[in-house]
Amino acid sequence: MMFTASQIAVLIKGQIEGNPESLANSFGRIEEAQQGQLAFLANPKYEEYLYITNASVVIISDKLELKQPVASTLIRVPDPYSAFASLLHYYQELKTQQLQGVEEPCFISPTAKKGENVFIGAFAYIGEVSEIGNNVKIFPGVYIGNNVKIGDNSLLHPGVKIYHDCIIGKNVTIHAGTVIGGDGFGFAPQPDGSFKKVPQIGNVIIEENVEIGSNATIDRATIGSTIIRAGAKLDNLIQIAHNVEVGTNTVIAAQAGVSGSTKIGNNVMIGGQAGVVGHIQIADYSKINAQSGVSKSIKIPKSAVTGSPAFDYTSALRSQALSRNLPEMEKRITELENQLKLLLEERLNAAHLH
Amino acid sequence: MMFTASQIAVLIKGQIEGNPESLANSFGRIEEAQQGQLAFLANPKYEEYLYITNASVVIISDKLELKQPVASTLIRVPDPYSAFASLLHYYQELKTQQLQGVEEPCFISPTAKKGENVFIGAFAYIGEVSEIGNNVKIFPGVYIGNNVKIGDNSLLHPGVKIYHDCIIGKNVTIHAGTVIGGDGFGFAPQPDGSFKKVPQIGNVIIEENVEIGSNATIDRATIGSTIIRAGAKLDNLIQIAHNVEVGTNTVIAAQAGVSGSTKIGNNVMIGGQAGVVGHIQIADYSKINAQSGVSKSIKIPKSAVTGSPAFDYTSALRSQALSRNLPEMEKRITELENQLKLLLEERLNAAHLH
Amino acid sequence: MMFTASQIAVLIKGQIEGNPESLANSFGRIEEAQQGQLAFLANPKYEEYLYITNASVVIISDKLELKQPVASTLIRVPDPYSAFASLLHYYQELKTQQLQGVEEPCFISPTAKKGENVFIGAFAYIGEVSEIGNNVKIFPGVYIGNNVKIGDNSLLHPGVKIYHDCIIGKNVTIHAGTVIGGDGFGFAPQPDGSFKKVPQIGNVIIEENVEIGSNATIDRATIGSTIIRAGAKLDNLIQIAHNVEVGTNTVIAAQAGVSGSTKIGNNVMIGGQAGVVGHIQIADYSKINAQSGVSKSIKIPKSAVTGSPAFDYTSALRSQALSRNLPEMEKRITELENQLKLLLEERLNAAHLH
């Protein structure tokens, strides 16, 4: 997609300085942008780059006074960062809207229903009685099992797999390779040491406005539903076990894992590679530091924890600092022992003298 | 699939109370079941829900005396939980058995062999001279390389990838996106700081009754075989490196990893996000706690370890508790130092007086 | 592929003893090799197996004096291990070169370009204006988005997904299920507690001679590029966040993760399940131990760190050892307290006496 400076200026209601026909077809940072790119200058620290950038078009503040001539076409607005961000959103939407129609070959069950304005990529698979909402974009190689529902405007990237009976809300984005609805890890130990599978016949429900990264796994419930609430954001390679509930607007960073039946509250933040054991509750607005291992419920909202096992963040930092200084601490104990030994020997000698 | 209460009663040898024509097509928990669902009541704690549930059919104990009228059709059996569990298994088997035939388009090498009663989904790929056993179910988008063997009754979920020469036993289930037989991570350092690949020409052998979760990775051996023994259960996002052996009935929870050439014994339990270094042995019946890092062999069967680096579970818990109390411990040392300083000063003064 | 002993001898410039028509079609370890396999004997410790092996052909040292008769055909060379290793490489190359042509069905955009001698497997997808170099091997089910470049001789295993605009260099190998170019995890918090997506419009650049394992995830940059430099080797299930740079010849073991905008130097080694926070620098030749959590920049080259949070390796080992001995250390403090209490009481009594 190619835009002229004047087209861009209209979109962001800006004033042009320079050639209104300058063309931009991608975005760049002002310090490294190439010809044909659009950049912006918001932080005064970067002003020097304005005079040497190769960007064809640069969005700047309407208050900035130029100190040197500028080769790029300028577009002046009150808030260059917001104007740039809104262009990015506009660009992404345009790109997504261009995805239309059904590529062949793909496999769509005759009993599946699809809404209007849907894109279905090659090698995508849509199972029996599944329902695909309006404006849904299904990339190549996506697998949708039987009796799945995909809400309006949702976007499934290449190779996403959604097992039977799962429900995906509106405006959900799932990145490549993620698996929704695989069997929960449930096996009953037998007297001979072997394990018998516990059938996992629940499903996964993902509410609206959720985004999930690449190669994550969200298991179906044993009975009932594993639930990801509205607005939650999950990063790559995350594990969500059966019957877990992740609250509204909760954010989970890459490679973290939540064990079975645990209920994560709303607006919780979980750092990368953190783990949460099963069957506990995490209060709203809690913060769980990266690599923490949470082994019991967090009952007080806005708690912050770290460490494995995790405990209160501030105390943990103090303990960690002392833990590093253990050699020093041990020296102090040895010194005390030596001094005390001396005193005790003197006392003994004194006793003998008496 | 739709069943009447009387059909269900025959399967579990129960006595019907109420309408024998009530229909159920799925399962629910008694406290949240909807019309058309089958539930059970085993725990007396939940009896109140029996009188208000919307479940169409409920399995209850043949000894339970009703305290109020019940809208659902009841089926009475000696052990409601076992009856319900057996129905789940029956239902799962029926669902799997329904999978039949070959969906188009798929890619099956003319030199591949397939047994009876096999399901091959659309976009599945079966390479040269590979052999698919009887009753195997290969979901859409599965990749099976050349010279692979898949044992009878095994089930490969969507997008599973099995590299050439690997051997999968009978009754094995592998969930979506898991990769079996990728190259082990072997690179020889060169004098210039670069690395030269060590070809990985072994394979992976997965024995019977193994279940593996979603998006896991099990690497092929450098030479010889990486082996997962009969009955082992591996969760999602697990990493098994080249030449590892995982013992019979060993259970490994999500996001755990085992490094190259390590031999995990039988009936071992490894917690989530735990790591085991390479070239060590883990004795039978060992328990490795979640997030542990096992850095040396565990030689005594039934050992339990935790921590990173991992050591004896009971000692580790005591050390962890003390570790949290380090600020307290440091106070005690400072107090000792102050008191001792006082004593030493007095002693010095006394010496001066003499 | 089947080779006679004499064909093998020509390849490695060795001398044959025994039947030059003996056939080998795979490789084995001398202690477990079967008929039809080629083995080698380099370590004298294994000489006993030479006299009982079932291997059809064995490569041995030209200096070895046989103590018993040998059934296998022998090939004598100055350095058996190197000769064997070169055969492995030769075998791998042959296998890869055999991959030719385009399997059907696959999806290749009319605007995509492909070089000579390319293999494209069934169900592979190649988007608009993408460019595939010479000798590239694209396995079944690979997804390549729009405007992607794949350098000569690169190899993409089954189900690899490469999002639009990414650039893959020459001689790159990517294993099954890995996702290159998914959106970085960028969301701006809103006043109501929800998050607004920050469009991720950069790309991923992977330079030449890089190898990446299975089911890894490398996110595209917000703006600019996430870069994996030449010769880097990344294992399975690794997470590389947006705008990260991984240096030349750096090695990262399985399940490790690097957060956004961090710059990892050259020749760094990162252990399995380690994590590195965002926006820091790691100096060249640093070693980060498995399961470490690196929370601040490592500024001195050749540093070694361990622990979470990570610090100097040698100090950390000493602290970890003391940490395990905390119960012992606490006993010493209690003993000191008791002794000192005694002394203080005596002093008090003495004072009273005076």
Side-chain angles (χ1 to χ4, degrees):
Chain A
M1 285 176 288
M2 195 78 104
F3 299 91
T4 63
S6 59
Q7 287 171 323
I8 296 165
V10 168
L11 283 171
I12 58 175
K13 296 173 190 160
Q15 299 299 321
I16 289 190
E17 285 177 25
N19 179 7
E21 298 306 314
S22 286
L23 290 166
N25 66 354
S26 66
F27 300 85
R29 287 190 261 197
I30 191 163
E31 66 271 31
E32 56 185 34
Q34 303 299 312
Q35 206 185 337
Q37 291 197 309
L38 170 75
F40 74 103
L41 173 64
N43 188 333
K45 225 170 55 173
Y46 288 86
E47 186 180 333
E48 56 175 309
Y49 293 108
L50 178 62
Y51 308 111
I52 56 171
T53 184
N54 291 318
S56 297
V57 183
V58 183
I59 303 173
I60 65 170
S61 167
D62 52 14
K63 291 186 191 65
L64 184 73
E65 293 179 25
L66 298 183
K67 299 182 185 62
Q68 296 176 36
V70 174
S72 321
T73 298
L74 300 177
I75 305 179
R76 287 180 176 276
V77 295
D79 180 349
Y81 177 72
S82 295
F84 187 76
S86 72
L87 278 177
L88 290 184
H89 279 104
Y90 183 74
Y91 176 80
Q92 287 288 87
E93 264 173 38
L94 263 187
K95 265 198 131 159
T96 306
Q97 282 172 14
Q98 286 183 334
L99 291 169
Q100 295 282 346
V102 176
E103 292 179 348
E104 291 295 341
C106 65
F107 184 102
I108 303 175
S109 162
T111 58
K113 289 181 196 163
K114 66 186 178 70
E116 295 184 357
N117 200 24
V118 162
F119 169 68
I120 299 179
F123 317 125
Y125 184 103
I126 300 176
E128 296 170 19
V129 305
S130 286
E131 299 176 17
I132 311 299
N134 297 325
N135 306 310
V136 168
K137 313 299 177 191
I138 295 173
F139 274 74
V142 166
Y143 168 84
I144 294 173
N146 298 336
N147 192 34
V148 168
K149 287 182 184 55
I150 312 284
D152 294 349
N153 307 314
S154 286
L155 200 155
L156 306 181
H157 282 279
V160 164
K161 290 127 203 139
I162 301 180
Y163 281 52
H164 57 95
D165 300 324
C166 292
I167 297 171
I168 312 293
K170 295 180 182 180
N171 303 311
V172 168
T173 297
I174 304 179
H175 282 279
T178 283
V179 177
I180 307 290
D183 281 358
F185 196 61
F187 299 92
Q190 304 298 300
D192 67 352
S194 71
F195 292 88
K196 187 176 176 187
K197 184 175 176 72
V198 178
Q200 306 288 311
I201 57 149
N203 72 347
V204 175
I205 297 175
I206 294 177
E207 297 185 349
E208 64 272 17
N209 300 318
V210 167
E211 181 153 345
I212 303 173
S214 301
N215 283 348
T217 59
I218 301 181
D219 280 353
R220 69 194 309 108
T222 310
I223 302 184
S225 300
T226 303
I227 303 175
I228 312 295
R229 296 275 178 217
K233 310 295 179 190
L234 278 59
D235 201 351
N236 301 338
L237 293 168
I238 277 176
Q239 152 74 356
I240 303 291
H242 48 181
N243 293 90
V244 163
E245 183 177 331
V246 172
T248 300
N249 294 331
T250 280
V251 174
I252 307 183
Q255 297 178 317
V258 181
S259 302
S261 300
T262 281
K263 191 174 167 184
I264 310 280
N266 301 327
N267 301 87
V268 171
M269 305 193 84
I270 301 182
Q273 299 183 334
V276 181
V277 301
H279 300 274
I280 65 172
Q281 280 79 43
I282 306 296
D284 296 347
Y285 294 95
S286 295
K287 287 189 186 182
I288 296 172
N289 200 26
Q291 292 192 331
S292 299
V294 182
S295 58
K296 51 188 183 187
S297 287
I298 297 179
K299 292 174 180 168
I300 301 167
K302 303 195 184 180
S303 296
V305 300
T306 193
S308 175
F311 65 113
D312 171 64
Y313 188 77
T314 314
S315 317
L317 286 199
R318 176 96 182 103
S319 294
Q320 282 171 3
L322 286 171
S323 185
R324 291 190 190 190
N325 283 331
L326 276 174
E328 176 59 30
M329 205 184 277
E330 207 228 358
K331 259 192 213 158
R332 288 164 65 188
I333 295 173
T334 303
E335 176 66 18
L336 282 167
E337 286 169 340
N338 291 338
Q339 293 176 339
L340 201 59
K341 195 179 163 197
L342 192 73
L343 283 180
L344 289 170
E345 281 170 4
E346 285 183 4
R347 171 175 156 278
L348 204 62
N349 292 337
H352 279 279
L353 287 177
H354 284 281
Chain B
M1 286 176 289
M2 195 76 106
F3 299 92
T4 63
S6 59
Q7 286 171 325
I8 296 165
V10 168
L11 284 171
I12 59 175
K13 296 174 189 157
Q15 301 298 321
I16 290 189
E17 285 177 26
N19 178 7
E21 299 306 314
S22 285
L23 290 167
N25 67 355
S26 66
F27 299 85
R29 287 191 261 197
I30 191 163
E31 67 271 31
E32 57 186 32
Q34 302 299 311
Q35 206 184 338
Q37 290 198 308
L38 171 75
F40 74 103
L41 173 65
N43 189 333
K45 225 170 54 174
Y46 289 85
E47 187 181 332
E48 56 176 308
Y49 293 108
L50 179 61
Y51 308 111
I52 56 170
T53 185
N54 292 319
S56 296
V57 184
V58 184
I59 303 173
I60 65 169
S61 167
D62 52 13
K63 291 185 191 65
L64 183 73
E65 292 180 25
L66 299 182
K67 298 181 184 64
Q68 295 176 35
V70 174
S72 320
T73 298
L74 301 177
I75 305 180
R76 288 180 174 275
V77 295
D79 179 349
Y81 177 72
S82 295
F84 186 76
S86 72
L87 278 177
L88 290 185
H89 279 102
Y90 183 74
Y91 175 80
Q92 286 288 84
E93 265 174 39
L94 263 186
K95 264 198 132 159
T96 306
Q97 282 171 16
Q98 286 183 333
L99 291 170
Q100 294 282 346
V102 176
E103 293 179 347
E104 293 295 343
C106 66
F107 184 102
I108 304 176
S109 162
T111 59
K113 287 180 196 164
K114 66 186 177 70
E116 296 184 357
N117 200 24
V118 162
F119 168 67
I120 299 179
F123 318 124
Y125 183 103
I126 300 176
E128 295 170 19
V129 306
S130 286
E131 299 176 17
I132 311 298
N134 297 324
N135 305 311
V136 168
K137 313 299 177 193
I138 294 173
F139 274 73
V142 165
Y143 168 84
I144 295 173
N146 298 337
N147 192 35
V148 168
K149 288 181 183 55
I150 311 284
D152 295 347
N153 308 313
S154 286
L155 200 155
L156 306 182
H157 283 279
V160 164
K161 289 127 204 141
I162 302 180
Y163 281 51
H164 57 95
D165 300 324
C166 292
I167 298 171
I168 311 293
K170 295 180 182 180
N171 303 311
V172 168
T173 298
I174 304 179
H175 282 280
T178 283
V179 177
I180 308 290
D183 280 358
F185 196 61
F187 299 92
Q190 304 298 300
D192 68 351
S194 71
F195 292 88
K196 187 176 176 187
K197 184 175 176 72
V198 178
Q200 305 289 310
I201 58 150
N203 71 348
V204 175
I205 297 175
I206 294 177
E207 296 186 349
E208 66 271 18
N209 300 318
V210 167
E211 181 153 346
I212 302 173
S214 301
N215 283 349
T217 59
I218 301 181
D219 280 353
R220 68 194 311 108
T222 309
I223 302 184
S225 300
T226 304
I227 303 176
I228 312 295
R229 296 277 178 216
K233 310 295 178 191
L234 279 59
D235 201 351
N236 300 338
L237 293 168
I238 277 175
Q239 151 73 356
I240 304 291
H242 47 180
N243 293 90
V244 163
E245 184 177 330
V246 172
T248 300
N249 294 331
T250 280
V251 173
I252 306 183
Q255 297 177 317
V258 181
S259 301
S261 300
T262 280
K263 192 175 168 185
I264 310 280
N266 301 327
N267 302 88
V268 171
M269 304 192 84
I270 300 182
Q273 298 182 334
V276 182
V277 301
H279 299 275
I280 65 171
Q281 279 79 44
I282 306 296
D284 296 347
Y285 294 96
S286 295
K287 287 189 185 180
I288 296 171
N289 200 25
Q291 292 192 331
S292 299
V294 182
S295 57
K296 51 188 185 187
S297 286
I298 297 179
K299 292 175 180 167
I300 300 167
K302 302 194 183 180
S303 297
V305 300
T306 193
S308 174
F311 64 114
D312 171 66
Y313 189 77
T314 313
S315 317
L317 286 199
R318 176 95 182 105
S319 294
Q320 282 171 3
L322 286 171
S323 186
R324 291 191 191 190
N325 283 331
L326 276 175
E328 175 59 30
M329 203 184 278
E330 208 227 358
K331 261 192 211 158
R332 289 165 63 190
I333 295 173
T334 304
E335 176 66 18
L336 282 167
E337 286 169 340
N338 290 339
Q339 292 176 339
L340 201 58
K341 196 179 163 199
L342 191 72
L343 283 180
L344 289 171
E345 281 171 4
E346 285 184 2
R347 171 176 156 277
L348 204 62
N349 291 339
H352 280 279
L353 287 177
H354 284 280
Chain C
M1 286 176 288
M2 194 76 105
F3 299 91
T4 64
S6 60
Q7 286 172 324
I8 296 165
V10 168
L11 283 171
I12 59 175
K13 295 174 189 159
Q15 301 298 321
I16 289 190
E17 284 178 27
N19 178 7
E21 300 307 313
S22 284
L23 290 166
N25 67 355
S26 67
F27 300 86
R29 287 190 260 198
I30 192 164
E31 67 271 29
E32 56 185 33
Q34 302 299 311
Q35 208 186 333
Q37 289 198 308
L38 170 75
F40 74 102
L41 173 64
N43 188 334
K45 222 169 57 172
Y46 288 84
E47 186 180 332
E48 56 175 311
Y49 294 107
L50 179 62
Y51 309 111
I52 56 171
T53 184
N54 291 318
S56 296
V57 183
V58 184
I59 303 172
I60 65 170
S61 165
D62 52 13
K63 291 185 192 64
L64 184 72
E65 293 179 24
L66 298 181
K67 298 181 186 63
Q68 295 176 37
V70 174
S72 320
T73 298
L74 301 177
I75 305 180
R76 287 180 176 275
V77 294
D79 179 350
Y81 176 72
S82 295
F84 186 77
S86 72
L87 277 177
L88 289 185
H89 278 103
Y90 183 74
Y91 174 81
Q92 286 288 87
E93 265 174 39
L94 262 187
K95 265 199 131 160
T96 306
Q97 283 171 15
Q98 286 183 334
L99 291 170
Q100 296 282 345
V102 176
E103 292 179 348
E104 292 295 343
C106 67
F107 184 102
I108 304 176
S109 161
T111 58
K113 289 182 195 162
K114 67 186 179 71
E116 295 185 356
N117 200 24
V118 162
F119 169 67
I120 299 178
F123 317 124
Y125 183 102
I126 300 176
E128 295 169 20
V129 304
S130 285
E131 298 177 18
I132 312 298
N134 297 325
N135 306 310
V136 168
K137 313 298 178 191
I138 294 173
F139 274 74
V142 166
Y143 168 84
I144 294 173
N146 297 336
N147 192 33
V148 169
K149 288 183 182 53
I150 312 284
D152 295 348
N153 308 312
S154 286
L155 200 155
L156 306 181
H157 282 281
V160 164
K161 289 127 204 140
I162 301 180
Y163 281 51
H164 57 95
D165 300 323
C166 292
I167 297 172
I168 312 293
K170 296 180 181 180
N171 304 309
V172 168
T173 298
I174 304 179
H175 282 280
T178 283
V179 177
I180 308 291
D183 280 358
F185 196 61
F187 299 92
Q190 304 298 300
D192 67 352
S194 71
F195 291 88
K196 187 176 176 188
K197 184 175 177 71
V198 177
Q200 305 289 309
I201 57 149
N203 73 346
V204 175
I205 297 175
I206 294 177
E207 296 185 349
E208 64 271 17
N209 301 317
V210 167
E211 181 153 346
I212 303 172
S214 302
N215 283 349
T217 58
I218 301 182
D219 280 353
R220 69 194 311 107
T222 309
I223 302 184
S225 300
T226 303
I227 303 176
I228 313 295
R229 296 275 179 219
K233 310 295 179 191
L234 279 58
D235 202 351
N236 301 337
L237 293 168
I238 277 176
Q239 152 73 355
I240 303 291
H242 47 181
N243 293 89
V244 163
E245 184 177 331
V246 172
T248 300
N249 295 329
T250 280
V251 173
I252 307 183
Q255 297 178 317
V258 181
S259 301
S261 300
T262 280
K263 191 175 168 185
I264 310 280
N266 301 327
N267 302 87
V268 171
M269 305 192 83
I270 300 182
Q273 298 182 334
V276 181
V277 301
H279 299 274
I280 65 172
Q281 279 80 43
I282 306 295
D284 296 347
Y285 294 96
S286 295
K287 288 189 184 180
I288 296 171
N289 201 26
Q291 291 192 331
S292 299
V294 182
S295 57
K296 51 189 184 188
S297 286
I298 296 179
K299 292 175 179 167
I300 301 167
K302 303 195 183 178
S303 296
V305 300
T306 193
S308 175
F311 64 112
D312 171 65
Y313 188 77
T314 313
S315 317
L317 287 198
R318 177 93 182 106
S319 293
Q320 282 171 2
L322 287 171
S323 185
R324 290 191 192 191
N325 284 330
L326 276 175
E328 175 58 31
M329 204 185 278
E330 208 229 357
K331 261 191 211 160
R332 289 164 64 189
I333 295 173
T334 304
E335 176 66 20
L336 283 167
E337 286 170 339
N338 290 339
Q339 292 176 340
L340 200 59
K341 195 179 165 198
L342 192 71
L343 283 180
L344 289 171
E345 281 170 3
E346 284 184 3
R347 171 174 156 279
L348 204 62
N349 292 337
H352 280 281
L353 288 178
H354 284 280

